[in-house]
Amino acid sequence: MSTAQIGPPPWITRSADDAAVQHLAENLRCPKAIARLLVSRGLSDPVAARTFFTPSLDDLIDPMLMLGMDIAVARIQQAVRTNEPILIYGDYDVDGTTATVLLKTAIERIATKETPARVTYHVPHRIREGYGMQTGVLGEAAASGIRLVISVDTGIRAFAAAEEARALGMDLIVTDHHLPDGAIGIPEAVAVLNPAQENCPYPFKSLCGAAVAFKLAHALLLAATETEEQRTKLKRGLIPSFLKLVAIATIADSVPLEGENRVIAALGLKELRNPVQPGLRALMQIAQIPINRPPTATEVGFRLAPRINAAGRMDIASDVVELFLTKDPARATDLAEKLNRLNDDRRATEAKALEAIELQLAALRENLGEFPAGCIILDHPEWHRGVLGILASRVVDRTGRPAIVMTHEDGHAHGSGRSIAEFHLLEALSAVHEPVTSSDAPLFSRFGGHAHAVGFSMPSNQTQLLRERMHLYGSSKLTEEIMTPPLQCDAELLFSDLTQDFCDWLTRCEPFGISNREPVFLTRGLNLTAPIRFIKEKHICLQLQPPGETIRFSALGWSRTTDWPARCAEMALSNGSLVDVAYRLKAKTNPQFPGLELELVDLRLS
């Protein structure tokens, strides 16, 4: 799939108060460029900056601050004391499966050896059941004797399921992080744990679903301690161990890596070094992630998470729960290999769909000369429901527009959407869902998600109406400035600034992600000192050097969002050309060729 952008965005450099930069650099004894980076991101206080660089378990927020936590803990304790069977109702992605593992493990930990907890789980099948809690599953659970159901990473809009649970005589505890329905509110349940709900005093609102489940697990484990020694043992042993899976989910779910999420991700990545649990160890090995050091957020996001998600996308996600619960190394290896095969299947399925998407995008562009100024909506009856979210992300990368990708089955359209930074996609779906006249029906059978990621189902014969309403809604929201945002450069540097010490400080700023994006730097007036080298006909490697200086860096341009060969041809670049570059600084990964290199973000003639 070609990945040419609409056009190069304007460049702007973040501003930072020079006095604050100097003060922070002196206090931290760090390069000024690092201090400027922190100040421009709102970290001018030396104490806050040190916390940023050295997050600790003490920075985790008290789980009892979450609305409903005391009631949820008490109800689960009652079930464990009376040996009452409990059902954890999960979800099929990384967030939902890891949340299931965390909560099941915690509940079993607080039970006595004489009366072990009776905890089962249900992870829905993406194709047969779809997203969310199903009343049929609750009916089967009630018939088997279940009287307490706990949802993880789902349930905040499960109004029908909550009513069904109550009618069946079951108590429901909802743990979720998705946004509640703005008009209806939250479902009626024994307790609803979601920091995004109204009147919840929990100070950090952007936890992923597994992190909310972890908060409940933490509260349960704390309540089971009686002495300071037990609390210290919990803090130093089990809680760090739990953070491994919470970090994976936090990174995979693309929540903002700031505040408590940064603490979770940073500490959890450290704990992932040399994992003991057989399933996690096997999966990291098969994903070719070294286990003699903490993985990076990029390795988790692009190697580990896709293999975990592949189970729910292509088969049954309960394999993931089993993988992370098993103590049998042989079984762990079998399951890890299965997830790897499913990920290969996912890649092949995705590649085939991307060919059709490229044709549809070309047709959209043919008459206008550019992509339509609105949300891109594509559909095809043969696209696999398990890869719709990935496809939508690819369309966003390709077009710079929010995107919805749908497939059809038995008269229903199933869709997934991804968005750009300044367009709240869930608010858009909420707006177009509402009937326009008294004779209209609501548009979606079900929908939910976040500002930047949504999912829904609807009658197939309503998809044209979706297009029309989204076009009207988007035309009032999607301005040219929103669709072509400027490239934010964190600092303008000289090549002489790019030292190993500077790179080491950058590494301390990790993990990078939303709200803590990897820094982009700008250097002007560089000579191209060798012919452009093309890699697989779509990537490029440049040799760059300031005029009159000896320092030189390689710059690699990868083709995920930019057609670099086309850009170079358009600029008529050749040996000796003078260019300005925007880039990320990288340490080379090959131990035989140590040093630093640049990852191109943008490029233009000086």
Side-chain angles (χ1 to χ4, degrees):
M1 180 178 179
S2 170
T3 50
Q5 261 187 347
I6 307 160
W11 296 1
I12 60 172
T13 303
R14 286 176 175 265
S15 61
D17 180 75
D18 289 338
V21 170
Q22 182 68 31
H23 178 67
L24 191 61
E26 291 174 355
N27 272 270
L28 297 182
R29 297 181 180 178
C30 68
K32 276 192 176 181
I34 295 295
R36 182 171 298 278
L37 170 67
L38 297 179
V39 171
S40 70
R41 297 186 180 192
L43 279 171
S44 57
D45 176 57
V47 175
R50 288 192 182 92
T51 300
F52 176 83
F53 283 124
T54 56
S56 73
L57 291 170
D58 291 330
D59 297 319
L60 294 175
I61 300 169
D62 181 357
M64 298 309 297
L65 292 177
M66 196 171 292
L67 182 66
M69 185 65 75
D70 53 346
I71 300 172
V73 169
R75 181 62 184 90
I76 295 170
Q77 287 175 323
Q78 176 191 335
V80 171
R81 280 196 307 269
T82 59
N83 202 226
E84 185 180 347
I86 301 170
L87 174 68
I88 298 174
Y89 203 122
D91 190 26
Y92 41 66
D93 64 359
V94 176
D95 208 12
T97 51
T98 54
T100 301
V101 173
L102 291 163
L103 194 53
K104 184 176 190 297
T105 302
I107 294 173
E108 290 173 343
R109 284 272 185 165
I110 67 171
T112 63
K113 292 182 179 179
E114 296 75 23
T115 312
R118 300 165 62 190
V119 187
T120 57
Y121 59 88
H122 175 77
V123 179
H125 191 284
R126 183 189 291 261
I127 307 301
R128 292 196 294 266
E129 298 177 52
Y131 175 78
M133 302 178 68
Q134 304 297 317
T135 56
V137 175
L138 295 179
E140 293 175 5
S144 70
I146 299 289
R147 290 296 175 266
L148 175 60
V149 178
I150 310 170
S151 77
V152 292
D153 191 36
T154 188
I156 197 63
R157 296 184 178 224
F159 301 103
E163 291 178 7
E164 180 71 6
R166 189 168 60 255
L168 292 168
M170 294 191 298
D171 287 338
L172 173 64
I173 296 173
V174 173
T175 78
D176 201 355
H177 72 122
H178 297 95
L179 295 177
D181 188 298
I184 304 175
I186 61 175
E188 187 173 337
V190 169
V192 175
L193 306 182
N194 186 335
Q197 68 178 304
E198 190 176 0
N199 298 322
C200 180
Y202 197 82
F204 188 72
K205 305 297 184 181
S206 301
L207 296 174
C208 70
V212 178
F214 165 71
K215 288 296 170 179
L216 176 54
H218 193 180
L220 287 167
L221 293 165
L222 276 173
T225 61
E226 297 178 351
T227 66
E228 192 60 36
E229 182 181 356
Q230 289 175 333
R231 284 186 282 276
T232 300
K233 185 177 180 180
L234 173 65
K235 178 180 177 180
R236 293 179 178 174
L238 195 55
I239 295 306
S241 178
F242 272 34
L243 287 176
K244 293 194 289 287
L245 292 187
V246 191
I248 292 171
T250 296
I251 293 166
D253 216 54
S254 298
V255 291
L257 288 186
E258 61 184 358
E260 192 172 29
N261 281 341
R262 175 175 170 79
V263 177
I264 289 169
L267 298 182
L269 287 171
K270 288 181 181 179
E271 293 297 323
L272 280 167
R273 177 176 180 169
N274 196 23
V276 175
Q277 197 272 328
L280 184 54
R281 189 179 185 87
L283 191 63
M284 289 180 66
Q285 288 175 325
I286 208 162
Q288 299 183 333
I289 297 176
I291 58 175
N292 61 346
R293 60 161 174 79
T296 65
T298 298
E299 288 172 328
V300 168
F302 288 93
R303 296 191 196 175
L304 204 59
R307 287 169 169 82
I308 299 172
N309 267 331
R313 294 188 188 281
M314 309 304 294
D315 192 29
I316 177 67
S318 58
D319 284 339
V320 175
V321 180
E322 184 183 353
L323 174 73
F324 290 145
L325 290 174
T326 186
K327 298 179 181 178
D328 180 358
R331 179 60 177 158
T333 299
D334 288 344
L335 288 168
E337 289 175 348
K338 179 179 180 181
L339 295 190
N340 197 54
R341 291 193 299 271
L342 290 172
N343 192 49
D344 289 340
D345 293 344
R346 186 270 305 170
R347 284 175 173 168
T349 301
E350 178 188 336
K352 183 177 179 181
L354 285 173
E355 294 177 1
I357 280 179
E358 181 70 11
L359 293 174
Q360 291 195 24
L361 290 177
L364 281 174
R365 245 185 130 170
E366 187 172 353
N367 294 328
L368 297 176
E370 62 180 14
F371 295 115
C375 183
I376 304 290
I377 301 179
L378 306 176
D379 68 324
H380 195 289
E382 295 181 4
W383 288 342
H384 194 290
R385 282 166 61 180
V387 299
L388 295 180
I390 300 174
L391 297 177
S393 293
R394 298 290 186 267
V395 176
V396 174
D397 290 340
R398 174 76 167 90
T399 66
R401 271 80 167 138
I404 288 173
V405 177
M406 298 181 289
T407 190
H408 300 268
E409 184 178 336
D410 298 328
H412 273 76
H414 303 275
S416 187
R418 298 295 183 266
S419 196
I420 57 178
E422 301 299 325
F423 187 74
H424 198 301
L425 196 51
L426 183 60
E427 286 184 358
L429 260 60
S430 298
V432 303
H433 172 67
E434 296 301 323
V436 176
T437 68
S438 58
S439 60
D440 291 336
L443 192 59
F444 302 111
S445 307
R446 62 171 63 182
F447 73 101
H450 313 282
H452 300 118
V454 297
F456 63 85
S457 61
M458 63 186 300
S460 288
N461 60 11
Q462 295 283 74
T463 56
Q464 182 56 35
L465 186 58
L466 171 65
R467 285 184 165 88
E468 293 170 0
R469 291 186 182 180
M470 283 297 292
H471 175 74
L472 287 173
Y473 182 87
S475 63
S476 65
K477 303 285 185 180
L478 289 164
T479 63
E480 185 66 28
E481 292 75 19
I482 287 176
M483 291 187 293
T484 313
L487 174 62
Q488 295 268 3
C489 297
D490 291 277
E492 183 170 343
L493 302 178
L494 302 174
F495 267 13
S496 56
D497 295 321
L498 307 182
T499 64
Q500 186 60 55
D501 179 61
F502 178 70
C503 186
D504 291 342
W505 275 95
L506 278 181
T507 301
R508 294 181 63 188
C509 295
E510 296 179 3
F512 297 125
I514 294 175
S515 296
N516 186 41
R517 65 172 181 81
E518 189 171 359
V520 174
F521 302 109
L522 162 63
T523 302
R524 302 182 192 272
L526 299 170
N527 274 132
L528 191 62
T529 61
I532 300 169
R533 182 162 63 90
F534 296 95
I535 305 169
K536 296 182 179 180
E537 300 181 353
K538 59 181 180 179
H539 313 300
I540 60 169
C541 179
L542 310 179
Q543 297 297 323
L544 300 172
Q545 184 175 339
E549 298 184 21
T550 58
I551 188 169
R552 177 187 299 182
F553 283 102
S554 297
L556 300 174
W558 307 110
S559 64
R560 178 177 172 84
T561 59
T562 302
D563 187 339
W564 286 111
R567 287 285 303 280
C568 291
E570 179 185 327
M571 290 186 287
L573 290 186
S574 62
N575 193 357
S577 293
L578 199 63
V579 296
D580 301 337
V581 294
Y583 57 89
R584 300 181 184 95
L585 184 64
K586 299 286 187 179
K588 293 181 179 179
T589 56
N590 190 331
Q592 295 181 343
F593 302 99
L596 307 176
E597 62 188 4
L598 314 183
E599 181 182 276
L600 283 178
V601 175
D602 205 356
L603 175 71
R604 53 191 55 182
L605 293 171
S606 295

